[in-house]
Amino acid sequence: GRELEVAQDHVWQRLFKEKLPWVVNGDDYTDQRNRNDLEQTRYSAGLRSLMIVPLLWQGKNSGSMAFRSKNPESFGEHEVGLGIEIAAQISGAIASANQYKQLAQQAQERERLALEQTLLAEIGRLTSSTLELDEVFESFVDRAKQLIPLDRAVISVNNPEGDSAIDAYVSGEKFSDDTTGVSYRIDDGFKKIASNAEAFNPNLDELKEMAISSPSEQARLDMGYRSLLMAPMIAQGNFVGTLTVR
């Protein structure tokens, strides 16, 4: 199960470019031991010959199969032929397993997309089912948690002029500087992003940079929050609020 880096040397050229077996016996294998630490270990264990056969399926190389022996003259023309036949059987099994895995992944992806569409449809129905915003917000966040990994969600609603907002709903951990119900100015940078219906999704390094000049962002980092997504809420072409998830 250990992953090894493959040097693109003469052995790699023969196996993966020429798609031919590579064999070393006796004295040739003694020279081969200096190829890398792995071969030195095998040589120290008493192995004296090596045959590597490419795993070919429908003309494509999916790997290689190595045969080793303590006999310095183990691999001749007959053994190479047998190795090729064995490798062909293994290649078929690998191809079948990979195909099954691919089909399973495709099925999982279809299920995931279907669930997303179902949840989005439910969110759409929620927003038109009642005028009680608290009910809408709570149900919305419950569905959103199934779509987006989040520990905290804030729904902010802009004032009619669009220069300030109020955190109308907060789900998750409360902060010491909680602004729920308190009007605050909307950052000009985010207003520019929102005007293009774009989300603000800084990476961790960018969050740390923001925290240098923002005590509140530093506090969030100290509390363990490592990601941020701010998505503008657009209605009839107007920027009406923001969904912030952490």
Side-chain angles (χ1 to χ4, degrees):
R2 178 178 155 203
E3 184 173 341
L4 298 173
E5 184 177 349
V6 179
Q8 295 188 13
D9 55 11
H10 64 286
V11 179
W12 179 88
Q13 179 74 25
R14 184 167 177 82
L15 292 169
F16 291 90
K17 289 295 185 179
E18 299 174 16
K19 300 177 182 178
L20 296 171
W22 185 73
V23 179
V24 282
N25 288 305
D27 292 339
D28 290 336
Y29 186 79
T30 300
D31 296 334
Q32 168 68 16
R33 66 178 173 172
N34 297 318
R35 182 167 174 247
N36 54 47
D37 292 341
L38 180 64
E39 289 304 329
Q40 182 63 56
T41 301
R42 302 295 186 268
Y43 187 86
S44 298
L47 296 169
R48 294 296 182 269
S49 57
L50 168 65
M51 175 175 67
I52 306 178
V53 183
L55 296 174
L56 304 175
W57 182 255
Q58 295 181 344
K60 295 182 179 180
N61 192 325
S62 60
S64 62
M65 187 173 187
F67 302 82
R68 297 177 183 271
S69 174
K70 293 184 177 180
N71 183 336
E73 301 297 334
S74 280
F75 304 119
E77 185 176 340
H78 178 68
E79 287 74 23
V80 170
L82 289 174
I84 291 173
E85 291 187 28
I86 293 170
Q89 297 296 323
I90 297 296
S91 299
I94 292 174
S96 296
N98 287 341
Q99 185 178 31
Y100 175 81
K101 183 179 179 181
Q102 184 178 13
L103 291 173
Q105 290 174 338
Q106 290 173 350
Q108 290 177 348
E109 179 67 10
R110 286 194 296 271
E111 290 177 4
R112 183 186 66 81
L113 292 174
L115 175 61
E116 286 183 358
Q117 292 304 313
T118 298
L119 291 170
L120 288 171
E122 288 183 11
I123 289 172
R125 286 194 295 270
L126 285 169
T127 57
S128 59
S129 64
T130 177
L131 296 178
E132 295 295 330
L133 289 181
D134 285 344
E135 291 182 21
V136 172
F137 290 158
E138 184 172 0
S139 298
F140 164 75
V141 171
D142 285 342
R143 270 63 171 190
K145 285 180 179 178
Q146 299 179 59
L147 292 169
I148 304 171
L150 61 91
D151 295 301
R152 190 174 193 268
V154 178
I155 296 175
S156 307
V157 178
N158 298 350
N159 70 357
E161 290 73 26
D163 57 359
S164 63
I166 292 176
D167 291 344
Y169 181 81
V170 177
S171 173
E173 190 173 9
K174 300 295 183 182
F175 294 153
S176 59
D177 59 348
D178 185 23
T179 56
T180 304
V182 178
S183 178
Y184 57 89
R185 185 174 175 277
I186 301 173
D187 180 80
D188 289 338
F190 183 69
K191 279 198 290 186
K192 184 176 180 180
I193 294 173
S195 66
N196 296 321
E198 297 176 356
F200 178 57
N201 181 213
N203 59 37
L204 181 56
D205 287 338
E206 290 169 333
L207 282 176
K208 290 179 178 178
E209 185 70 23
M210 291 167 55
I212 294 175
S213 58
S214 173
S216 62
E217 283 304 322
Q218 183 61 59
R220 274 107 175 115
L221 284 174
D222 293 342
M223 295 171 69
Y225 290 95
R226 293 292 182 270
S227 58
L228 168 66
L229 172 64
M230 298 177 67
M233 296 189 296
I234 309 296
Q236 297 179 343
N238 298 313
F239 171 38
V240 298
T242 306
L243 169 64
T244 303
V245 298
R246 295 179 184 268

Coordinates of all heavy atoms in Angstrom, one line a residue, residues 145-192:
K145 N -27.6 23.3 5.7 CA -26.5 22.5 6.4 C -26.3 21.2 5.7 O -25.3 20.5 5.8 CB -26.9 22.2 7.9 CG -26.8 23.4 8.8 CD -27.2 23.1 10.2 CE -27.0 24.3 11.1 NZ -27.4 24.0 12.5
Q146 N -27.4 20.7 5.0 CA -27.2 19.5 4.2 C -26.5 19.7 2.9 O -26.1 18.7 2.2 CB -28.6 18.9 4.0 CG -29.4 18.5 5.3 CD -30.7 17.9 5.0 OE1 -30.9 16.9 4.4 NE2 -31.8 18.6 5.5
L147 N -26.4 20.9 2.5 CA -25.8 21.3 1.2 C -24.4 21.8 1.4 O -23.5 21.5 0.6 CB -26.6 22.3 0.4 CG -28.0 21.9 -0.1 CD1 -28.8 23.1 -0.5 CD2 -27.8 20.9 -1.2
I148 N -24.2 22.5 2.5 CA -22.9 23.2 2.7 C -22.4 22.8 4.1 O -23.2 23.0 5.1 CB -23.0 24.7 2.6 CG1 -23.6 25.1 1.2 CG2 -21.7 25.4 2.8 CD1 -23.9 26.6 1.1
P149 N -21.2 22.4 4.3 CA -20.7 22.1 5.6 C -20.5 23.4 6.4 O -19.7 24.3 6.0 CB -19.3 21.4 5.4 CG -18.9 21.9 4.0 CD -20.2 22.1 3.2
L150 N -21.2 23.6 7.5 CA -21.1 24.9 8.2 C -21.4 24.6 9.7 O -22.1 23.7 10.1 CB -22.2 25.9 7.7 CG -23.7 25.5 7.7 CD1 -24.3 26.0 9.0 CD2 -24.4 26.1 6.5
D151 N -20.7 25.5 10.5 CA -20.9 25.5 11.9 C -21.7 26.7 12.4 O -22.2 26.7 13.5 CB -19.6 25.5 12.7 CG -18.8 24.2 12.4 OD1 -19.3 23.1 12.7 OD2 -17.7 24.2 11.9
R152 N -21.7 27.7 11.5 CA -22.4 28.9 11.9 C -23.0 29.6 10.6 O -22.3 29.6 9.6 CB -21.5 29.9 12.7 CG -22.2 31.1 13.3 CD -21.2 31.9 14.1 NE -21.9 32.9 15.0 CZ -22.1 34.2 14.6 NH1 -21.7 34.6 13.4 NH2 -22.7 35.0 15.5
A153 N -24.2 30.1 10.7 CA -24.8 30.8 9.6 C -25.4 32.1 10.0 O -26.1 32.1 11.1 CB -25.8 29.9 8.9
V154 N -25.2 33.2 9.3 CA -25.8 34.5 9.6 C -26.5 35.0 8.3 O -26.0 35.0 7.2 CB -24.8 35.5 10.0 CG1 -25.4 36.8 10.3 CG2 -24.0 35.0 11.3
I155 N -27.8 35.4 8.5 CA -28.5 36.0 7.4 C -28.7 37.5 7.7 O -29.3 37.9 8.7 CB -29.9 35.4 7.2 CG1 -29.8 33.9 6.8 CG2 -30.7 36.1 6.2 CD1 -31.1 33.1 6.7
S156 N -28.1 38.3 6.9 CA -28.1 39.8 7.1 C -29.0 40.4 6.0 O -29.0 40.0 4.8 CB -26.7 40.3 6.9 OG -25.8 39.7 7.8
V157 N -29.8 41.3 6.4 CA -30.8 42.0 5.5 C -30.4 43.5 5.4 O -30.2 44.2 6.4 CB -32.2 41.9 6.1 CG1 -33.2 42.6 5.2 CG2 -32.6 40.4 6.2
N158 N -30.3 43.9 4.2 CA -29.9 45.3 3.9 C -31.0 46.3 4.2 O -32.2 45.9 4.0 CB -29.4 45.5 2.5 CG -28.2 44.6 2.1 OD1 -27.6 44.1 3.0 ND2 -27.9 44.6 0.9
N159 N -30.7 47.5 4.5 CA -31.7 48.6 4.6 C -32.0 49.0 3.2 O -31.3 48.7 2.2 CB -31.2 49.7 5.5 CG -30.1 50.5 4.8 OD1 -29.6 50.2 3.7 ND2 -29.7 51.6 5.4
P160 N -33.1 49.7 3.0 CA -33.6 50.1 1.6 C -32.5 50.9 0.8 O -32.4 50.7 -0.4 CB -34.8 51.0 1.9 CG -35.3 50.5 3.2 CD -34.1 50.2 4.0
E161 N -31.7 51.7 1.5 CA -30.6 52.4 0.8 C -29.4 51.5 0.4 O -28.7 51.9 -0.5 CB -30.1 53.6 1.7 CG -31.1 54.7 1.9 CD -32.2 54.3 2.8 OE1 -32.0 53.4 3.7 OE2 -33.3 54.9 2.7
G162 N -29.3 50.4 1.0 CA -28.3 49.4 0.7 C -26.9 49.7 1.2 O -25.9 49.1 0.8
D163 N -26.8 50.7 2.2 CA -25.5 51.0 2.7 C -25.2 50.5 4.1 O -24.1 50.5 4.7 CB -25.3 52.6 2.8 CG -26.4 53.3 3.6 OD1 -27.3 52.5 4.1 OD2 -26.4 54.5 3.7
S164 N -26.3 49.9 4.7 CA -26.1 49.2 6.0 C -27.0 48.0 6.1 O -27.9 47.8 5.2 CB -26.5 50.2 7.1 OG -27.9 50.5 7.1
A165 N -26.8 47.2 7.1 CA -27.5 45.9 7.2 C -27.7 45.5 8.6 O -27.1 46.1 9.5 CB -26.7 44.8 6.5
I166 N -28.6 44.6 8.8 CA -28.9 44.1 10.2 C -28.8 42.5 10.1 O -29.4 41.9 9.2 CB -30.3 44.5 10.7 CG1 -30.4 46.0 10.9 CG2 -30.7 43.7 11.9 CD1 -31.8 46.5 11.3
D167 N -28.2 41.9 11.1 CA -28.1 40.5 11.1 C -29.5 40.0 11.7 O -29.8 40.1 12.9 CB -27.0 40.0 12.1 CG -25.6 40.3 11.5 OD1 -25.6 40.5 10.3 OD2 -24.7 40.2 12.3
A168 N -30.3 39.5 10.8 CA -31.7 39.2 11.1 C -31.8 37.8 11.7 O -32.8 37.5 12.4 CB -32.6 39.3 9.9
Y169 N -30.9 36.9 11.4 CA -30.9 35.5 11.9 C -29.5 35.0 12.1 O -28.7 35.1 11.2 CB -31.7 34.6 11.0 CG -31.9 33.2 11.5 CD1 -32.8 32.9 12.4 CD2 -31.0 32.2 11.0 CE1 -32.9 31.6 12.9 CE2 -31.1 30.9 11.5 CZ -32.1 30.6 12.4 OH -32.2 29.3 12.9
V170 N -29.3 34.4 13.2 CA -28.0 33.7 13.5 C -28.2 32.3 14.0 O -29.0 32.1 14.9 CB -27.2 34.5 14.6 CG1 -25.9 33.8 14.9 CG2 -26.9 36.0 14.1
S171 N -27.5 31.4 13.3 CA -27.6 30.0 13.8 C -26.2 29.5 14.1 O -25.2 29.7 13.3 CB -28.1 29.1 12.6 OG -28.0 27.7 12.9
G172 N -26.0 29.0 15.3 CA -24.7 28.5 15.7 C -24.2 29.3 16.9 O -24.9 29.9 17.6
E173 N -22.9 29.2 17.1 CA -22.2 29.7 18.2 C -22.3 31.3 18.2 O -22.2 31.9 17.2 CB -20.7 29.4 18.2 CG -19.9 29.7 19.4 CD -18.5 29.1 19.4 OE1 -18.1 28.6 18.3 OE2 -17.8 29.2 20.4
K174 N -22.6 31.8 19.4 CA -22.7 33.3 19.6 C -21.3 33.9 19.8 O -20.5 33.3 20.5 CB -23.6 33.6 20.8 CG -25.0 33.1 20.7 CD -25.8 33.8 19.5 CE -27.2 33.3 19.5 NZ -28.0 33.9 18.3
F175 N -21.1 35.0 19.2 CA -19.8 35.7 19.4 C -20.0 36.9 20.4 O -21.1 37.4 20.6 CB -19.3 36.3 18.1 CG -19.0 35.3 17.0 CD1 -19.1 35.6 15.7 CD2 -18.6 34.0 17.4 CE1 -18.7 34.6 14.7 CE2 -18.2 33.0 16.4 CZ -18.3 33.4 15.1
S176 N -18.9 37.2 21.0 CA -18.9 38.3 22.0 C -19.3 39.6 21.4 O -19.9 40.5 22.1 CB -17.6 38.4 22.7 OG -16.5 38.7 21.8
D177 N -19.0 39.8 20.1 CA -19.3 41.1 19.4 C -20.6 40.9 18.5 O -20.7 41.5 17.5 CB -18.1 41.6 18.6 CG -17.7 40.5 17.6 OD1 -18.1 39.4 17.6 OD2 -16.9 40.9 16.7
D178 N -21.5 40.0 19.0 CA -22.7 39.7 18.2 C -23.4 40.9 17.8 O -23.7 41.8 18.7 CB -23.5 38.7 19.0 CG -24.7 38.3 18.2 OD1 -24.7 38.3 17.0 OD2 -25.7 37.9 18.9
T179 N -23.8 41.1 16.6 CA -24.5 42.3 16.1 C -25.9 42.0 15.7 O -26.6 42.8 15.0 CB -23.8 42.9 14.8 OG1 -23.7 41.8 13.8 CG2 -22.4 43.3 15.2
T180 N -26.5 40.9 16.2 CA -27.9 40.6 15.9 C -28.8 41.7 16.2 O -28.9 42.2 17.4 CB -28.3 39.3 16.6 OG1 -27.4 38.2 16.3 CG2 -29.7 38.9 16.2
G181 N -29.6 42.2 15.2 CA -30.5 43.2 15.4 C -29.9 44.6 15.4 O -30.7 45.6 15.6
V182 N -28.6 44.7 15.3 CA -27.9 46.0 15.3 C -27.5 46.4 13.9 O -26.9 45.6 13.2 CB -26.7 46.0 16.3 CG1 -26.0 47.4 16.3 CG2 -27.1 45.6 17.7
S183 N -27.8 47.6 13.5 CA -27.5 48.1 12.2 C -26.0 48.4 12.1 O -25.4 48.9 13.0 CB -28.3 49.3 11.8 OG -27.9 49.8 10.5
Y184 N -25.4 48.0 11.0 CA -23.9 48.2 10.8 C -23.7 48.5 9.3 O -24.5 48.1 8.4 CB -23.1 47.1 11.2 CG -23.4 45.8 10.6 CD1 -22.7 45.4 9.4 CD2 -24.3 44.9 11.1 CE1 -23.0 44.2 8.8 CE2 -24.6 43.7 10.5 CZ -24.0 43.3 9.3 OH -24.3 42.1 8.7
R185 N -22.6 49.2 9.0 CA -22.3 49.6 7.6 C -21.8 48.4 6.8 O -21.0 47.6 7.3 CB -21.2 50.7 7.7 CG -20.9 51.3 6.3 CD -19.9 52.5 6.5 NE -19.5 53.0 5.2 CZ -18.5 52.5 4.5 NH1 -17.9 51.5 4.9 NH2 -18.2 53.0 3.3
I186 N -22.2 48.3 5.6 CA -21.8 47.3 4.7 C -20.4 47.7 4.1 O -20.3 48.8 3.6 CB -22.8 47.0 3.5 CG1 -24.1 46.6 4.1 CG2 -22.3 45.9 2.6 CD1 -25.2 46.5 3.1
D187 N -19.5 46.8 4.1 CA -18.1 47.1 3.6 C -18.2 47.3 2.1 O -18.9 46.6 1.3 CB -17.2 45.8 3.8 CG -15.8 46.0 3.3 OD1 -15.0 46.7 3.9 OD2 -15.6 45.5 2.1
D188 N -17.5 48.4 1.6 CA -17.6 48.8 0.2 C -17.1 47.7 -0.7 O -17.5 47.5 -1.8 CB -16.8 50.1 0.0 CG -17.5 51.3 0.6 OD1 -18.7 51.3 0.8 OD2 -16.8 52.3 1.0
G189 N -16.0 47.0 -0.2 CA -15.4 46.0 -1.0 C -16.4 44.9 -1.3 O -16.5 44.4 -2.4
F190 N -17.2 44.5 -0.2 CA -18.1 43.4 -0.5 C -19.3 43.9 -1.3 O -19.9 43.1 -2.1 CB -18.6 42.9 0.9 CG -19.6 41.7 0.7 CD1 -19.1 40.5 0.3 CD2 -20.9 41.9 1.0 CE1 -20.0 39.4 0.1 CE2 -21.8 40.8 0.8 CZ -21.3 39.6 0.4
K191 N -19.7 45.2 -1.2 CA -20.8 45.7 -2.0 C -20.4 45.6 -3.5 O -21.2 45.3 -4.3 CB -21.1 47.2 -1.7 CG -21.9 47.3 -0.4 CD -22.6 48.7 -0.3 CE -21.6 49.8 0.0 NZ -22.2 51.1 0.2
K192 N -19.1 45.8 -3.8 CA -18.6 45.7 -5.2 C -18.7 44.3 -5.7 O -19.2 44.0 -6.8 CB -17.2 46.2 -5.3 CG -16.7 46.2 -6.7 CD -15.3 46.8 -6.8 CE -14.7 46.9 -8.2 NZ -13.4 47.4 -8.3

